[in-house]
Amino acid sequence: MPQTIAFYDRVDHALHDSSLQTALHRATSRFIGNRASAISALGDADRLRDQARAIRAHALAHLDELLPQLAANVEARGGHVCWASDGEEARQYIIELAHARGVRSIVKSKSMASEEIHLNEALEAAGFEVIETDLGEYIIQLAGETPSHIIAPAIHKTREQVSELFQQHLGMPPTTEVPLMIRTARQALRQRFLQADMGISGVNFGVADSGAIVIVENEGNARLSTTVPRIHVAIMGIERIVARLADLGVMLQVLARSATGQKLSVYTSLISGPARPGEEDGPEEFHLVLLDNGRSQILGGQYAESLLCIRCGACLNACPVYQAIGGHAYGSVYSGPIGAILTPLLQPDLPDAHLLPQASSLCGACQEVCPVRIAIPDMLLRHRADAVKAGKVNPVEKVAIAGYTLTMTHPAIYNAGGKAGRFFSRILARKGHFRRLPPPLHLWTKQRDFPALPPKSFRELWAERKNQRRSSS
Amino acid sequence: MSREQILAHLRTSLTANRPWLQAEAERMPHEPPPFALPAQDDLVGQFVAELVKLEGKAYRVVSADEALAIIDRLIEETQATSVIGWDLDQIGLPGLPELLAARGITPAKADVRGEGRKARLQALEPIPLCLSGVELAIAESGTLLLRHGPGKPRLASLLAPCHIAIVFHSQLVRGLGEALALLTQRYGDNIFGPTSNLTFITGPSRTADIEMTLSLGIHGPPQLHVIVVEG
Ligand code: SF4
């Protein structure tokens, strides 16, 4: 299966890309540290997370009432609402709108939903100029790549690589001084904002009782995108809703703390419709695109819990597999542990989608950090089971699993196998690790070192210990 | 048509999963805590400490005159001849109109509407100073809450590289939950009646997108000066 090889190739490539490895290590460890200190500074972090889960569960349980309420309130404030069953309907609505209003240039602030439906490509193909304005997104747009992390899309780029891009595209003099690079980007992007006709944003939460959408960010590009151009289009996955304004008192805190370790993000905008008559600025038109794209079906199945996700990115940073391979290797819009659950559901046509749930050691770190306590490992296992049922599992693995079952249920084979393994261990392993196992197990060691087996098994040590105890007492 | 289809799917899906979602929803009360961190006696002190941690500048002053002196100094430093600001009476700092007049500064009206929109934006872009009041300020996170609307443009905390915000002691609350409750108490369900936008601002614009190196001012103001007027 060529697709299968593609996923493993990407993983292989990522593991051997030394600048990616440096960047990933720097970034994920920084995120983890920030988050840990923010959570520990928070007296009752556990209670807030339990509340966040309850609030999101309530929203999903009443999605059929809350969505119409949100839409009605947006319309009452003079906004327009588009209900889009899939990406095609959403793209079509936005493209037609842009044509009808004589739009030429579009600025975008970060939106995973728009990535999910490949909006940029469609807008560009329709002849519009589309600029990503989040610095990380802008960098990868200049590089012609896709984001590798929900919160930090350019996490995989080193400053030298960014400097080169800015020299090439923005005429910046050679430098690796970050403040200078920031100033260059600010100036270049500012002009894009002032000349744009339309701003497109994502949505962190839709607030049903107020008819408001919430956008959380640190840079200010979302504020500019939703204030400066005369038309604002917001794209929201239909599950990203909360019932009441007061719910934000919980959600904004857990989101900021889990995402970046801040008490609150720098800018949180609550936007309800277009500018009112007496207002001096703000857009003249406001459009909210409610994107289903499979979500209404997921809600009825065994992965419904994944819809609680608030896209904070904490599970990515906590995941040892993500730390090692980064977001691109997943080959999908959503990466990391939650991406491995969502991708087979939201992008089932992606050839490697069924392999992503394998990219996990099921260590449980993701569930531990998740602000809405999603049972991520459980769902990864369910996906694996589904893939087996659908006959999508590769043959080596089947043999391995059969062997594992046999060994674990027959102690004699287990003991004999362990002894043989330990013997070969002493001969083959270097510095305690196999770099390469014999076929067919070489597929395993292609991307991982396999720890050499210890000289004595747990059972042997345990038996020895017991004997020692007995003799010393 | 899609609306009905989506809603029909949702209803079907919820017949299966509503019970357990509802059970999850009822495990905890949803009401946010008024504040999340251990309460401190000195709210102003807490606010200032939080803002300073975020690289914002904070000033505690006991009189309007002291506040004016700080504004005067910042006008000097930024060599401003104009400011993008709220209506001065909405900021409510006594002596501010006189100070600006003495400095020869006429506040620019944002006024970016209709045909001249892009030209107006270009005209505002070189102005070095933003000047605003606040609706509320949150002590435990160093946050400003701005309720925009007539006389209170969004650009007055966004466009220029330096933003000065005036906060009165009476506007300070402890936490986010308290701030949201107060908003509802003040405006009921008409919070968004006269305005399309509320913004919480917690420190100066920042990014860590280049190698996780913290940098200020990528899009919003790199400088945030908050003057807290006590007494
Ligand atoms: S699954 Fe949980 S931790 Fe991961 S992005 Fe979603 S909310 Fe955050």
Side-chain angles (χ1 to χ4, degrees):
Chain A
M1 254 199 298
Q3 301 95 335
T4 309
I5 290 165
F7 174 59
Y8 292 130
D9 273 355
R10 289 195 300 270
V11 170
D12 209 37
H13 184 80
L15 289 174
H16 292 100
D17 179 341
S18 65
S19 61
L20 173 67
Q21 288 297 317
T22 313
L24 277 171
H25 176 72
R26 264 190 213 146
T28 51
S29 51
R30 172 83 160 267
F31 271 132
I32 292 171
N34 286 349
R35 181 193 163 273
S37 55
I39 299 278
S40 65
L42 189 60
D44 226 345
D46 274 341
R47 187 186 156 87
L48 270 183
R49 288 167 69 198
D50 289 337
Q51 286 193 287
R53 181 175 170 89
I55 287 169
R56 290 290 297 130
H58 174 85
L60 292 185
H62 300 278
L63 204 48
D64 56 339
E65 302 146 35
L66 293 176
L67 270 180
Q69 190 191 354
L70 173 67
N73 282 331
V74 166
E75 282 164 352
R77 300 290 183 209
H80 303 272
V81 177
C82 159
W83 296 74
S85 288
D86 55 20
E88 177 54 31
E89 285 184 16
R91 291 189 299 266
Q92 209 180 337
Y93 179 84
I94 297 168
I95 288 171
E96 273 170 22
L97 175 71
H99 277 308
R101 300 295 189 274
V103 167
R104 282 178 37 217
S105 146
I106 299 171
V107 282
K108 274 190 70 212
S109 64
K110 194 164 56 185
S111 151
M112 297 303 289
S114 78
E115 303 271 352
E116 178 185 324
I117 61 169
H118 304 291
L119 182 62
N120 285 13
E121 293 89 323
L123 287 168
E124 278 163 8
F128 303 106
E129 182 190 49
V130 186
I131 309 292
E132 290 287 355
T133 59
D134 171 276
L135 179 62
E137 298 269 350
Y138 183 58
I139 290 169
I140 58 166
Q141 192 184 34
L142 289 180
E145 295 173 8
T146 50
S148 59
H149 188 283
I150 300 178
I151 302 297
I155 204 173
H156 58 289
K157 286 262 178 269
T158 62
R159 79 173 69 189
E160 291 76 15
Q161 291 171 324
V162 175
S163 171
E164 242 165 70
L165 283 169
F166 284 7
Q167 291 173 45
Q168 199 183 326
H169 295 273
L170 307 179
M172 183 182 74
T175 179
T176 50
E177 293 283 312
V178 175
L180 240 147
M181 291 156 72
I182 295 288
R183 233 172 300 146
T184 305
R186 176 181 168 108
Q187 282 162 9
L189 283 165
R190 184 54 69 89
Q191 274 311 312
R192 301 297 200 168
F193 283 117
L194 300 187
Q195 284 157 19
D197 306 296
M198 177 185 274
I200 297 180
S201 76
V203 173
N204 288 91
F205 301 105
V207 187
D209 74 349
S210 318
I213 58 154
V214 182
I215 306 177
V216 175
E217 54 153 352
N218 283 323
E219 297 188 354
N221 62 309
R223 288 191 71 196
L224 286 165
S225 302
T226 60
T227 297
V228 170
R230 74 190 135 94
I231 305 166
H232 171 201
V233 178
I235 309 176
M236 172 182 152
I238 53 169
E239 86 284 17
R240 305 293 295 275
I241 211 166
V242 294
R244 306 172 313 144
L245 186 69
D247 293 340
L248 296 179
V250 172
M251 300 314 299
L252 294 177
Q253 305 203 59
V254 297
L255 175 59
R257 281 165 217 254
S258 308
T260 47
Q262 294 163 281
K263 294 200 173 94
L264 284 178
S265 304
V266 176
Y267 300 117
T268 300
S269 302
L270 279 61
I271 298 172
S272 171
R276 306 290 184 271
E279 286 191 276
E280 291 169 51
D281 54 15
E284 280 156 36
E285 280 183 49
F286 173 78
H287 298 259
L288 177 61
V289 178
L290 298 172
L291 177 71
D292 182 345
N293 208 28
R295 290 165 170 82
S296 60
Q297 309 270 12
I298 296 172
L299 184 63
Q302 51 176 347
Y303 302 101
E305 193 185 351
S306 65
L307 296 176
L308 295 173
C309 174
I310 57 172
R311 308 276 189 272
C312 72
C315 60
L316 281 65
N317 301 318
C319 175
V321 175
Y322 180 89
Q323 283 167 26
I325 66 176
H328 281 145
Y330 290 81
S332 53
V333 172
Y334 302 103
S335 62
I338 190 66
I341 294 170
L342 291 175
T343 304
L345 304 170
L346 293 174
Q347 297 185 286
D349 298 337
L350 207 72
D352 296 347
H354 70 280
L355 289 173
L356 300 185
Q358 313 282 340
S360 160
S361 59
L362 300 178
C363 70
C366 46
Q367 182 167 5
E368 195 142 308
V369 297
C370 176
V372 287
R373 304 191 189 280
I374 296 175
I376 300 172
D378 284 3
M379 279 189 283
L380 288 170
L381 275 176
R382 247 174 264 161
H383 264 313
R384 290 186 185 183
D386 285 354
V388 173
K389 269 185 238 150
K392 284 181 177 169
V393 166
N394 88 40
V396 175
E397 211 162 311
K398 259 191 203 147
V399 173
I401 289 171
Y404 180 80
T405 316
L406 184 72
T407 318
M408 293 321 258
T409 46
H410 296 78
I413 302 182
Y414 177 87
N415 278 336
K419 283 219 170 82
R422 284 193 292 282
F423 172 73
F424 285 114
S425 247
R426 280 201 298 276
I427 299 175
L428 296 175
R430 280 204 199 117
K431 289 196 209 143
H433 281 83
F434 288 108
R435 291 310 300 254
R436 192 159 287 168
L437 287 174
L441 296 176
H442 69 289
L443 285 177
W444 175 269
T445 47
K446 200 165 169 233
Q447 289 124 8
R448 327 159 167 87
D449 290 347
F450 190 83
L453 301 181
K456 287 181 178 167
S457 77
F458 176 74
R459 282 163 161 240
E460 286 168 347
L461 285 174
W462 183 250
E464 272 180 28
R465 249 236 162 110
K466 268 217 257 180
N467 286 337
Q468 277 171 9
R469 281 246 181 100
R470 230 174 267 143
S471 53
S472 66
S473 63
Chain B
M1 196 189 74
S2 295
R3 179 192 148 107
E4 294 322 312
Q5 197 190 333
I6 292 169
L7 290 175
H9 281 156
L10 287 176
R11 279 183 216 112
T12 314
S13 285
L14 283 171
T15 50
N17 276 335
R18 196 183 324 248
W20 79 261
L21 283 168
Q22 189 56 38
E24 285 294 321
E26 283 163 14
R27 270 170 198 258
M28 286 296 285
H30 298 185
E31 209 51 41
F35 49 92
L37 296 170
Q40 291 183 18
D41 289 336
D42 179 9
L43 275 192
V44 179
Q46 190 180 16
F47 175 84
V48 166
E50 285 303 316
L51 190 61
V52 167
K53 272 191 233 163
L54 301 168
E55 317 261 331
K57 299 274 185 299
Y59 311 84
R60 296 180 79 151
V61 302
V62 291
S63 69
D65 282 347
E66 267 185 87
L68 292 173
I70 294 165
I71 298 172
D72 196 27
R73 206 194 70 220
L74 290 168
I75 292 175
E76 178 113 12
E77 275 175 27
T78 55
Q79 301 182 342
T81 54
S82 182
V83 299
I84 313 172
W86 284 17
D87 280 357
L88 297 182
D89 49 352
Q90 303 246 35
I91 298 177
L93 183 67
L96 182 58
E98 292 78 6
L99 169 71
L100 295 182
R103 281 284 180 175
I105 290 177
T106 14
K109 254 186 116 47
D111 211 16
V112 282
R113 317 251 359 210
E115 282 302 304
R117 187 180 187 100
K118 287 185 187 174
R120 185 69 195 137
L121 285 163
Q122 292 292 354
L124 293 171
E125 172 63 17
I127 297 176
L129 208 54
C130 281
L131 190 56
S132 81
V134 304
E135 175 80 23
L136 293 169
I138 301 172
E140 69 176 15
S141 54
T143 301
L144 309 173
L145 169 56
L146 278 66
R147 182 170 181 255
H148 297 111
K152 299 187 284 185
R154 307 179 192 186
L155 293 177
S157 58
L158 180 58
L159 210 59
C162 178
H163 173 204
I164 306 174
I166 312 294
V167 175
F168 295 98
H169 192 178
S170 59
Q171 294 177 304
L172 267 178
V173 298
R174 212 175 278 285
L176 177 63
E178 214 177 317
L180 291 167
L182 203 54
L183 268 183
T184 306
Q185 195 186 315
R186 277 185 195 166
Y187 305 107
D189 54 12
N190 201 34
I191 295 173
F192 291 101
T195 177
S196 55
N197 185 290
L198 290 180
T199 301
F200 294 87
I201 300 178
T202 307
S205 157
R206 63 160 69 194
T207 184
D209 274 345
I210 302 180
E211 274 192 3
M212 303 297 283
T213 310
L214 175 67
S215 315
L216 301 181
I218 174 66
H219 290 296
Q223 285 187 49
L224 174 61
H225 300 267
V226 180
I227 306 174
V228 186
V229 187
E230 299 179 74

